Amino acid sequence: AFDYFKQAKEQDTANTQLKILEQKLNKLKGDLEKRTGKPIGGDTPPAAEMSAAPKVEPVKEAPKPAQQNLPYNARKPLQDALNQFRSMENNLEQLQNPDDSMTASLISRISNSLTSCQQYLDDAKKEVSKAGMESHPEIEKLAADLADIGVRFADAKRKADDKNAAGTAKAEEVIADCDGLKAEYERLRSALDKCGMLYFNELEPLKEHIIAIEEFEKNQLPDITQKLSNFESKYGKSRDEINKNANDAGYTGVTSAADGWSMLTDKIKVIPETRNKMAEEIINRMEGQLSNLKNTSDFHRLQQHNALREWLKMAERYNGENQKVVQMKNSLEAKLKTDLEEFNVQIDKRSWPGNSTDINSDAALKYFNQSSDWFKPPHAGKVLGVAIHGDWSVQERDILGNPVMYGIPVFVAVVMDEEKETGLARVYDLTLRNMEKQGAVPEPPFTSDTVGSSYYIRAEKIH
């Protein structure tokens, strides 16, 4: 201590306070030397010698010397300020390497601690001032440290705010991307549903179905495929990967981040599968129709040939590269040709019993010519002849068993306008019936009919 005092005195020999302090130190030294009986201090002269030195009167105008001890009432607010300061240091260290979820909380804590620390420091300063002190080293040091940490906090907060702004922008971007695909799914949902599998019995629904698929593929698929590709390049190509990356980027939606992507990709993936399955379903149906051609009625058998050709075109439209479609395309005409040959053989075997020329046949011709149902547009035709091939029979009786209607079996041959070029005539086996009434007798005129079998015959055989 004496050595430290000597160094201070050498550095500032004119300092009045040091001179006063020297007197006090000499007194303390003398007391200690008397008690111990030994000289104290290094080069400092014995107290007796120092006491011989001339006394220096204190300067009355000089301010009171600074107290070394912090006033009692300033100790608690200063300690509270120090506690707040240490808390700020810990929180600031975390803020500089934060868990993003804690950033806002850390900023709030530091900001509150700054305010509290400054308030406690101001309270300590007031207590120091009340004690007649201008300041105190501990207070001045804390004030300097507080100013420094305020600068460092402002810098850390700016960086955190910048990062948060970037994170907010990224979160907004990922939410827009994910919700955008969900909106796209809702917009395209109806069109996508129309591209799924279709259960059918007729050709017409298939025409509407394939048009829906073709229009979606042409007008919607390129754009949505590009959007899905862009999305996958950002977030991944699986539900788990997308959910993780989107959530890490700040996605906070109510539903899963991958929902829109998943629903769209699942539906779009089905379209080529639908094309392939529908093509095969059509071929399976055609194979059943081909095997049943020999059991088909004459009037529909040749029509079925044309219908099968239309079915094949539809199958090709769904997927012309499907193996079953290719096989059917290569074999259909040969199968239809074979069936046509068998059909012609059957027709050639058929004969006509000859036209009848009696009162009953004349009445039959009159009935067909005057009928509003038979052989009129849009299926118009010309009667070539009628052949009565049985006797009159009772068709209806009253409750007493008395006949009230009679009928007679008739073949009628007709050439339909749309079939003239085929050389075929249609033969219908009917029962022509007279009017229902009491006292009915077996004779024309005819007022109604019932139809039995029907078939084709060569028109040239009708005479």
Side-chain angles (χ1 to χ4, degrees):
F2 294 106
D3 292 340
Y4 175 78
F5 178 80
K6 180 180 178 182
Q7 293 174 6
K9 185 177 179 183
E10 289 174 351
Q11 292 175 3
D12 190 2
T13 57
N15 192 307
T16 304
Q17 292 184 358
L18 286 177
K19 292 178 181 179
I20 296 171
L21 185 60
E22 181 180 23
Q23 292 177 357
K24 292 182 178 181
L25 185 61
N26 287 335
K27 183 177 183 307
L28 176 63
K29 181 179 178 183
D31 291 341
L32 291 173
E33 286 176 343
K34 288 178 183 180
R35 292 180 184 180
T36 62
K38 298 179 182 180
I40 297 176
D43 298 332
T44 306
E49 297 179 12
M50 293 182 67
S51 62
K55 294 183 179 180
V56 179
E57 295 295 330
V59 179
K60 293 182 180 180
E61 295 74 19
K64 294 180 180 180
Q67 297 182 28
Q68 296 300 308
N69 294 328
L70 188 68
Y72 178 80
N73 289 338
R75 293 175 186 176
K76 185 178 186 308
L78 181 61
Q79 185 59 50
D80 290 340
L82 286 170
N83 291 340
Q84 292 293 329
F85 184 82
R86 294 188 190 102
S87 175
M88 276 190 290
E89 286 187 314
N90 292 333
N91 288 331
L92 184 59
E93 183 179 355
Q94 294 182 57
L95 182 60
Q96 291 168 339
N97 298 285
D99 172 358
D100 289 343
S101 64
M102 293 293 293
T103 299
S105 176
L106 289 170
I107 289 175
S108 177
R109 291 179 196 173
I110 297 172
S111 180
N112 291 337
S113 292
L114 270 173
T115 301
S116 297
C117 186
Q118 186 64 59
Q119 183 62 53
Y120 288 134
L121 186 59
D122 290 343
D123 292 345
K125 287 180 179 180
K126 290 178 183 178
E127 295 300 329
V128 168
S129 179
K130 288 179 182 179
M133 300 171 62
E134 292 185 0
S135 183
H136 189 276
E138 292 183 49
I139 290 179
E140 292 176 357
K141 181 178 183 306
L142 181 56
D145 291 343
L146 187 60
D148 174 68
I149 203 170
V151 173
R152 289 188 286 135
F153 171 58
D155 182 62
K157 183 177 182 299
R158 177 184 56 78
K159 292 179 179 178
D161 288 343
D162 290 345
K163 183 177 180 181
N164 183 60
T168 300
K170 183 62 178 177
E172 291 175 351
E173 178 184 354
V174 69
I175 291 171
D177 288 342
C178 295
D179 290 353
L181 285 188
K182 292 174 189 176
E184 282 294 282
Y185 173 74
E186 292 301 327
R187 181 178 71 84
L188 298 172
R189 187 172 186 173
S190 177
L192 284 166
D193 287 344
K194 293 178 182 178
C195 296
M197 286 294 293
L198 176 72
Y199 296 95
F200 60 92
N201 289 313
E202 304 295 335
L203 191 60
E204 198 61 33
L206 291 176
K207 293 178 182 178
E208 297 177 4
H209 186 239
I210 192 61
I211 287 173
I213 291 176
E214 290 169 345
E215 288 184 349
F216 179 82
E217 290 175 334
K218 177 182 178 182
N219 300 325
Q220 305 294 344
L221 188 57
D223 178 62
I224 196 62
T225 299
Q226 184 61 54
K227 289 180 179 178
L228 288 170
S229 177
N230 294 342
F231 185 86
E232 289 169 356
S233 68
K234 289 184 179 181
Y235 307 107
K237 297 183 179 181
S238 71
R239 281 191 66 90
D240 290 344
E241 188 179 9
I242 290 169
N243 283 331
K244 180 181 184 305
N245 292 334
N247 290 338
D248 289 348
Y251 179 75
T252 56
V254 176
T255 60
S256 168
D259 278 358
W261 171 87
S262 180
M263 291 185 291
L264 282 169
T265 53
D266 287 348
K267 286 285 189 178
I268 291 172
K269 188 193 308 179
V270 165
I271 295 176
E273 296 174 3
T274 297
R275 278 181 167 274
N276 195 56
K277 289 179 181 178
M278 290 298 296
E280 292 189 353
E281 285 293 322
I282 292 172
I283 297 304
N284 291 339
R285 186 182 184 88
M286 289 179 65
E287 289 172 347
Q289 292 171 335
L290 282 167
S291 64
N292 195 49
L293 277 175
K294 59 182 177 293
N295 299 319
T296 305
S297 69
D298 283 2
F299 301 163
H300 295 96
R301 191 163 177 174
L302 295 184
Q303 293 177 2
Q304 192 68 6
H305 285 200
N306 291 330
L308 284 165
R309 293 184 179 99
E310 293 300 315
W311 284 105
L312 178 58
K313 290 179 182 178
M314 184 59 67
E316 289 182 292
R317 204 165 161 185
Y318 275 103
N319 187 356
E321 297 179 357
N322 180 279
Q323 190 61 36
K324 295 184 73 171
V325 175
V326 173
Q327 291 175 355
M328 180 60 74
K329 183 178 180 180
N330 293 336
S331 63
L332 179 61
E333 289 304 322
K335 291 178 180 180
L336 294 180
K337 181 180 179 182
T338 298
D339 184 69
L340 180 60
E341 290 171 353
E342 294 174 357
F343 175 73
N344 285 326
V345 169
Q346 292 176 1
I347 292 176
D348 289 339
K349 290 179 180 179
R350 294 173 184 152
S351 60
W352 176 252
N355 291 337
S356 298
T357 56
D358 58 15
I359 187 174
N360 291 328
S361 61
D362 290 343
L365 286 172
K366 183 178 181 181
Y367 170 78
F368 288 120
N369 289 331
Q370 293 179 347
S371 171
S372 59
D373 299 322
W374 283 94
F375 319 129
K376 299 295 188 293
H379 301 291
K382 178 183 178 182
V383 176
L384 298 181
V386 295
I388 308 298
H389 62 89
D391 297 325
W392 287 91
S393 62
V394 177
Q395 298 294 301
E396 297 288 347
R397 295 179 184 273
D398 62 17
I399 58 175
L400 299 177
N402 298 316
V404 293
M405 179 190 291
Y406 285 90
I408 192 169
V410 178
F411 290 126
V412 58
V414 58
V415 172
M416 306 302 293
D417 289 354
E418 67 264 28
E419 296 174 348
K420 285 180 180 180
E421 301 301 323
T422 66
L424 298 175
R426 296 189 178 198
V427 174
Y428 295 92
D429 186 3
L430 308 96
T431 296
L432 293 181
R433 305 187 300 178
N434 59 16
M435 181 179 295
E436 181 178 357
K437 64 180 180 178
Q438 292 294 325
V441 294
E443 63 182 20
F446 301 112
T447 59
S448 63
D449 63 77
T450 59
V451 181
S453 61
S454 57
Y455 52 86
Y456 277 126
I457 192 172
R458 299 296 177 193
E460 61 190 22
K461 293 184 177 181
I462 307 302
H463 51 76

